[in-house]
Amino acid sequence: MDFTFTEEQRAATEAAEAVFAGVAPDAVPSPALTRGAVAEDFDRALWSRLAGADLLSLVLAEEHGGAGLDPLALCLVLRESAKVLARVPLLETAAVALAVDRYGGDALRARLLPPVGRGDLVLTVGASGRTGHDPAELAVTARRDTGTGTGTGTGTGQWVLDGVQTAVPWAQSADLIAVPARLDGGRAVLALVPPDSAGAVLAEQISTSGERFAELSLDSVRIDASGLIDAEGAWEWLRLLLTTGTCALALGLGERVLSMTAEYTGKREQFGFPIATFQAVAVQAADRYIDLRAMAATLWQAAWRLGPARGSAGLGGPLPVAADVAVAKIWASEGVRRVVQTAQHLHGGFGADTDYALHRYHAWAKQLELSLGPAAAHEEALGDLLAAHPLD
């Protein structure tokens, strides 16, 4: 079997490396020294460069100006972005755009995807539910506005949304927020909500990494049926892609932190020798390298299984794709935490210096560790899947 990346995937990685090469992790104030958000908006200049390099259209279908690549290519770009703590809604915009491409109607795809690829339309998603601990699709309800439309399906008239989604990233800067919502029968749909809709309120929240988040409250917010994606499995697939993308960010961040640690321990001397030559230091660094290799293997497996085909729920296997995503998130959550903790330990007091970038990576790592559920939540989900699908 050939596990190497394709030529197109390698080209996407090289393009991402070139774009992110000029990004400084300390371009904004330190979250440790800032009351409130580190900046009012994301890095618009970087966003424009990503669009110019065709990285925002990477996973879009060719008929909408994209390259038609798969989630694995997106994860390769996300890994590079995390190495420099790139402050852009790349994961959220690309994931929602992919969900629209796979599960949305022709008119919705034609309306949204070309401007996404050009960098003119910013998307985000409310995936944390009411509290961050409950399923996101249970936090918002969707019902038909009985005063509009005459059809009985979800594709006509207007819909009314009520509920709350917490910790919506980049909400203040987004043009549309994808909101999972449940119908009366319990089925989940995806609603694309303009943040300035009547009845929609954004309450300021700050992430652990110092970025602007928001609690989105929906009070009888009306959206046209053309902004509702009701295809079976659309929200579940988007949730899995968001989780997998978060694992890619954790991998890239962890790789950069381990590289910083290797550079520091190779120069820092004690008793006349670089501390990297001490057995206790070398063993800890080796353990973290193993963590990163496990994070990478489980990430690529999950990204591959999400499937390349439009409308696909994922490639086949002995367990549903959700099991592979759960394994990847378990390793990412635990692994990135261990990597940054070891880095802080081996850097000594220098790791806490706010003039040095390591403390920024630590803050981002904590945000990623708990984003979309900590390891324990995914271990429970994996246990449920194993119980429901016994392996012969």
Side-chain angles (χ1 to χ4, degrees):
M1 298 181 67
D2 185 3
F3 291 101
T4 59
F5 297 118
T6 66
E7 182 178 348
E8 292 83 1
Q9 290 165 348
R10 291 195 297 271
T13 302
E14 292 172 1
E17 289 174 342
V19 172
F20 293 124
V23 178
D26 56 356
V28 294
S30 166
L33 303 176
T34 306
R35 184 182 297 274
V38 296
E40 290 297 306
D41 198 4
F42 63 84
D43 190 339
R44 294 279 180 174
L46 176 57
W47 194 248
S48 296
R49 295 200 297 273
L50 288 169
D54 295 327
L55 289 173
L56 297 184
S57 59
L58 191 70
V59 294
L60 305 182
E62 294 182 4
E63 65 258 36
H64 300 299
L69 298 187
D70 58 8
L72 208 156
L74 171 61
C75 288
L76 285 166
V77 176
L78 289 170
R79 180 178 68 169
E80 297 305 315
S81 76
K83 292 178 181 179
V84 296
L85 305 183
R87 301 181 49 262
V88 287
L90 179 58
L91 169 58
E92 295 79 13
T93 295
V96 175
L98 259 174
V100 170
D101 191 28
R102 290 166 183 253
Y103 295 98
D106 291 339
L108 185 63
R109 289 198 293 265
R111 176 165 62 91
L112 296 187
L113 298 185
V116 166
R118 296 192 301 267
D120 297 333
L121 190 70
V122 177
L123 308 175
T124 189
V125 56
S128 297
R130 181 179 294 273
T131 65
H133 301 287
D134 53 335
E137 67 273 17
L138 301 182
V140 175
T141 60
R143 57 182 172 83
R144 176 176 297 284
D145 185 349
T146 55
T148 64
T150 58
T152 57
T154 57
T156 58
Q158 286 193 323
W159 285 80
V160 181
L161 306 174
D162 290 282
V164 174
Q165 289 285 347
T166 193
V168 180
W170 317 106
Q172 295 88 344
S173 302
D175 299 297
L176 290 172
I177 302 174
V179 179
R182 72 183 188 279
L183 304 178
D184 288 340
R187 188 164 65 88
V189 295
L190 267 176
L192 300 175
V193 181
D196 59 354
S197 299
V201 177
L202 296 178
E204 187 87 359
Q205 294 178 321
I206 307 298
S207 73
T208 302
S209 54
E211 302 297 343
R212 292 185 78 191
F213 278 25
E215 179 185 78
L216 172 65
S217 298
L218 304 169
D219 184 6
S220 297
V221 172
R222 285 170 169 77
I223 66 165
D224 190 80
S226 63
L228 194 80
I229 300 176
D230 67 333
E232 188 71 33
W235 160 240
E236 175 63 14
W237 188 87
L238 174 56
R239 184 185 66 81
L240 294 176
L241 179 58
L242 289 167
T243 304
T244 304
T246 302
C247 296
L249 294 172
L251 175 63
L253 185 150
E255 288 176 335
R256 178 57 188 139
V257 167
L258 188 61
S259 176
M260 293 170 65
T261 305
E263 293 171 7
Y264 177 78
T265 57
K267 297 176 181 178
R268 174 74 167 89
E269 291 190 0
Q270 189 74 16
F271 309 116
F273 297 94
I275 63 173
T277 62
F278 298 168
Q279 184 178 33
V281 173
V283 166
Q284 291 183 69
D287 285 343
R288 301 296 77 82
Y289 176 82
I290 293 171
D291 277 335
L292 290 173
R293 298 287 61 77
M295 290 167 63
T298 54
L299 163 64
W300 305 135
Q301 169 73 4
W304 175 74
R305 284 212 55 202
L306 281 170
R310 175 178 290 173
S312 170
L315 299 176
L319 291 173
V321 62
D324 293 275
V325 174
V327 171
K329 188 58 166 69
I330 292 167
W331 272 104
S333 294
E334 297 285 357
V336 76
R337 175 177 54 80
R338 287 193 291 259
V339 167
V340 295
Q341 286 180 344
T342 296
Q344 291 282 14
H345 176 63
L346 296 182
H347 275 82
F350 191 50
D353 189 338
T354 55
D355 290 329
Y356 185 59
L358 182 58
H359 78 287
R360 296 174 182 266
Y361 284 90
H362 202 155
W364 278 67
K366 180 56 67 175
Q367 181 68 43
L368 292 173
E369 176 191 348
L370 300 178
S371 178
L372 303 178
H378 290 273
E379 289 169 349
E380 182 177 352
L382 179 61
D384 291 340
L385 287 168
L386 288 170
H389 301 83
L391 302 177
D392 296 329

